[in-house]
Amino acid sequence: MLDNLILLENIDAVASIIESGNRFVVLSHKNPDGDAVGSSIALMLYLRSRGKEAVVVLPNRFPEFLSWLPSADEVLYYDTDAECAKAAFEDADAFFCLDFNLLSRIGDAGEVVAALGAPKVLIDHHPQPSQEFSVSISHPEACSTSELVFRVIGRLSGVDAVSYEMAQAIYTGMMTDTGAFAYASTRKDIYIIIAHLLEKGIDKDLIYRKVFYNHSLSRMRLMGYVLYDKLKYFSKYNAALITLSHQELMRFYAQKGDTEGLVNQALQMKGVRFSCFFREEVPGKINVSLRSVDDFPCNAVAAEFFNGGGHKNASGGELHCTMDAAVELFKVALQKYKRELTE
Ligand code: 5GP
Ligand code: MN
């Protein structure tokens, strides 16, 4: 049996927000990943199944390997369709904020939403949520926001209310946020939920292939190049670094999503406890991805050195500098955290 992780008072608060409203907006974070998109679509489909109007608004587009998700083509993007998104915001009776813990994490859309009076419901698994939400369903112990959406729907309407399409989206989010159940996935509840999702008829092997076995030839070449030439091992610090300049990304025709997962590959190396990936998507702007194992808090490094944050074992940030300067900063961070990395 699945336990009742989420507080009853929060479930009651969400129930009354849904009952008393008609139009809802589901929001998730910038550079949306499988959990952001999966959890948002599942909740949108649930709200619609209750006879409500619901739309997902994301700050920018998600990678191509998620485009098969049900209703993925109905998502609105704030960067390319701000007018439409703002109209939905104005009409919203409540906002559901999924897979992020701070409104500024959704870019300009966050400022617009913050200024509106409609209730904001947080459903998220990042640590240290901000206090700006009317209802806060925040559980860092959950493997994903998608797990929490399953729990919310189950508590509000019973597991029968989860449709096949919702199950596909929820499974995708749980799978992507755990590297296909390779990390952050030891709690047995996860597999109780998966059993429910399988009962809805999802094909988990097919979902795996759609998401992870969907690389272009140029992505395969990029992976080879990274492992052969760009992976640096800092053995004294149990750390690894991958860098890709804007020029290198262009050389491999890298599309959105083509660099997904590279930062995790460095963790496959014996001895590596901390992995860092710098990619210069726009000249002069470097996106930072960090991953770690066990107790090493890469979110602390992200906050201290890379203008970011995230989970203990998966975090990110951004830098506005040259790649050389970023590499120097990484070395300073390694020195600062040497004890934690080597003890
Ligand atoms: P990724 O490396 O996949 O882009 O991000 C990994 C994790 O770090 C995600 O959970 C994401 O929410 C978090 N993250 C990425 N970039 C940032 C950032 O700039 N600020 C904060 N606070 N978290 C971030
Ligand atoms: Mn997540």
Side-chain angles (χ1 to χ4, degrees), residues 29 33 35-36 99 124-126 143-146 173 177 311:
H29 62 77
D33 56 13
D35 189 32
D99 203 37
D124 179 47
H125 69 134
H126 292 85
C143 75
S144 55
T145 299
S146 297
D177 254 27
H311 308 279

Side-chain angles (χ1 to χ4, degrees), residues 4-224:
N4 283 344
L5 182 71
I6 300 168
L7 284 178
L8 180 61
E9 65 188 67
N10 283 338
I11 296 292
D12 287 345
V14 172
S16 84
I17 284 171
I18 294 175
E19 271 155 33
S20 62
N22 285 309
R23 296 194 175 105
F24 300 105
V25 170
V26 182
L27 298 162
S28 196
H29 62 77
K30 205 167 143 190
N31 301 326
D33 56 13
D35 189 32
V37 184
S39 61
S40 298
I41 284 180
L43 186 64
M44 176 194 78
L45 293 174
Y46 169 71
L47 292 167
R48 289 182 181 175
S49 77
R50 297 271 310 262
K52 311 290 179 175
E53 281 181 32
V55 63
V56 175
V57 178
L58 299 173
N60 58 351
R61 221 191 131 68
F62 50 75
E64 182 55 31
F65 63 78
L66 298 170
S67 59
W68 60 273
L69 279 166
S71 300
D73 53 351
E74 294 168 41
V75 171
L76 289 182
Y77 300 99
Y78 195 85
D79 63 345
T80 53
D81 206 358
E83 289 316 308
C84 228
K86 278 185 195 160
F89 293 172
E90 294 285 341
D91 283 348
D93 295 318
F95 295 92
F96 288 89
C97 303
L98 269 51
D99 203 37
F100 64 97
N101 58 5
L102 184 68
L103 277 173
S104 63
R105 277 278 289 140
I106 62 169
D108 297 342
E111 279 176 39
V112 179
V113 170
L116 293 167
K120 294 158 194 80
V121 178
L122 177 74
I123 306 178
D124 179 47
H125 69 134
H126 292 85
Q128 294 155 352
S130 83
Q131 299 301 307
E132 61 202 324
F133 302 98
S134 335
V135 180
S136 189
I137 298 179
S138 169
H139 290 276
E141 68 272 41
C143 75
S144 55
T145 299
S146 297
E147 171 188 338
L148 294 172
V149 165
F150 177 89
R151 289 172 175 280
V152 168
I153 298 172
R155 293 280 293 284
L156 289 171
S157 304
V159 173
D160 284 353
V162 177
S163 67
Y164 168 69
E165 287 78 14
M166 292 175 216
Q168 283 183 307
I170 289 168
Y171 185 80
T172 300
M174 292 175 66
M175 178 187 79
T176 51
D177 254 27
T178 57
F181 309 101
Y183 44 81
S185 51
T186 297
R187 287 166 42 253
K188 73 176 192 323
D189 295 12
I190 293 169
Y191 304 92
I192 298 174
I193 294 173
I194 292 173
H196 284 297
L197 299 175
L198 292 170
E199 275 178 0
K200 303 291 172 182
I202 64 159
D203 182 339
K204 71 175 252 314
D205 300 350
L206 180 62
I207 293 176
Y208 182 95
R209 288 202 304 279
K210 281 182 176 179
V211 172
F212 294 118
Y213 286 4
N214 193 18
H215 300 327
S216 61
L217 181 61
S218 58
R219 148 92 201 217
M220 298 302 285
R221 300 274 188 246
L222 176 67
M223 235 154 52

Side-chain angles (χ1 to χ4, degrees), residues 228-243:
Y228 183 70
D229 221 22
K230 301 297 304 191
L231 171 65
K232 305 289 178 224
Y233 178 37
F234 294 77
S235 58
K236 276 198 299 195
Y237 302 90
N238 298 321
L241 173 68
I242 295 167
T243 62

